[in-house]
Amino acid sequence: MSQRYFAETPILDFRSGAIQAIIAERGWVSLEPAARIGAAYDFVRNDILFGYNSDDAIPASSVLADGYGQCNTKGTLLMALLRALEIPCRFHGFTIDKGLQRGVVPEVVYPLAPRSIIHSWVEVLIDGKWVNLEGFILDQGVLGALQETFPERSSLCAYGAGTDCLQDPSVEWSGQSTYIQKTGINHDFGVFDTPDDFYTEHRQLSGLRGLFYRSVIRHWMNRRVARIRQGHVPTIPGGGDNLLPKQASIILKEAV
């Protein structure tokens, strides 16, 4: 197995004291490989809440310290934990349509958001095959609130979710691929060994717009996510059409 799938990097800083302490405290090293994956995955899915950090390219230890993250930052932490547990993993980069974030992004600034937003998932190698892991993004509090608010819906592409099976999405670790934002994907950048490699080529929200996001908008979004978690799901203008993907989903194959 290539060592590039186990390497530590500035972003995947899994030798940091805080990450090593979590692993030791939870006793994950003593588990079989599939159980190690499941333990790290469940921790990132629910112990690290859904929320918005200052940047996509922050180190895993910073995500852990924040205690919250979104697709890219929670993925960074999951990759760091997996590599610390000697589980080979890699990064797959995409973009999603901004409609997936509607309801979390305040309506007054929604028109200013980029049409396509950087997205990623983690691919993990188990039993000789690569498995896609994306279902860790929404914690159960947020997902449960959306399920209760839209009990009759199957397809939802808003509020941070992008799924055609809202009431029973494939988010639990069972050795198979998991997804929760897949139907919002509109571009595939391909596979990278590390998030560091990806962010060298692809970044978003620089300059004044990035400063405004980091200093004001993300905090506003995090307050909205907290209210969603409490069951206060805001209404999106335009009715049911704005709860659906904005284009046909691109064809995404299982990793090989």
Side-chain angles (χ1 to χ4, degrees), residues 10-208:
I11 292 179
L12 300 178
D13 60 341
F14 60 77
R15 290 190 178 89
S16 71
I19 290 177
Q20 290 295 318
I22 283 288
I23 290 171
E25 174 188 313
R26 306 270 174 141
W28 291 341
V29 172
S30 64
L31 302 174
E32 294 297 315
R36 291 184 202 176
I37 297 170
Y41 177 92
D42 290 343
F43 174 80
V44 171
R45 185 163 81 93
N46 282 316
D47 288 53
I48 305 300
L49 299 179
F50 177 49
Y52 294 84
N53 313 89
S54 61
D55 193 78
D56 285 333
I58 62 175
S61 58
S62 295
V63 183
L64 180 61
D66 283 350
Y68 60 83
Q70 33 81 347
C71 55
N72 303 311
T73 52
K74 289 183 83 166
T76 289
L77 179 56
L78 179 58
M79 285 190 71
L81 291 170
L82 292 171
R83 290 192 177 190
L85 293 167
E86 300 184 343
I87 301 294
C89 58
R90 63 191 186 188
F91 178 104
H92 199 143
F94 305 92
T95 60
I96 53 173
D97 187 276
K98 71 174 183 178
L100 186 144
Q101 302 284 9
R102 196 165 191 178
V104 173
V105 177
E107 283 296 314
V108 68
V109 296
Y110 179 76
L112 303 177
R115 180 76 261 171
S116 294
I117 299 170
I118 295 293
H119 175 59
S120 62
W121 67 45
V122 176
E123 296 182 0
V124 61
L125 187 65
I126 182 169
D127 296 332
K129 69 173 184 177
W130 290 99
V131 173
N132 303 329
L133 300 181
E134 190 207 51
F136 55 80
I137 301 168
L138 300 186
D139 59 82
Q140 187 55 44
V142 170
L143 178 58
L146 296 178
Q147 290 169 328
E148 290 182 13
T149 302
F150 303 105
E152 305 301 322
R153 293 198 69 88
S154 295
S155 180
L156 180 67
C157 193
Y159 306 102
T163 178
D164 284 330
C165 45
L166 177 63
Q167 298 306 320
D168 189 24
S170 55
V171 295
E172 300 284 348
W173 167 249
S174 64
Q176 305 298 317
S177 294
T178 69
Y179 302 103
I180 196 57
Q181 293 188 344
K182 185 178 180 181
T183 63
I185 292 174
N186 58 16
H187 181 75
D188 185 348
F189 288 116
V191 174
F192 296 76
D193 291 347
T194 70
D196 309 59
D197 295 339
F198 178 79
Y199 295 126
T200 297
E201 299 181 27
H202 306 286
R203 296 298 293 271
Q204 196 160 255
L205 292 177
S206 58
L208 288 176

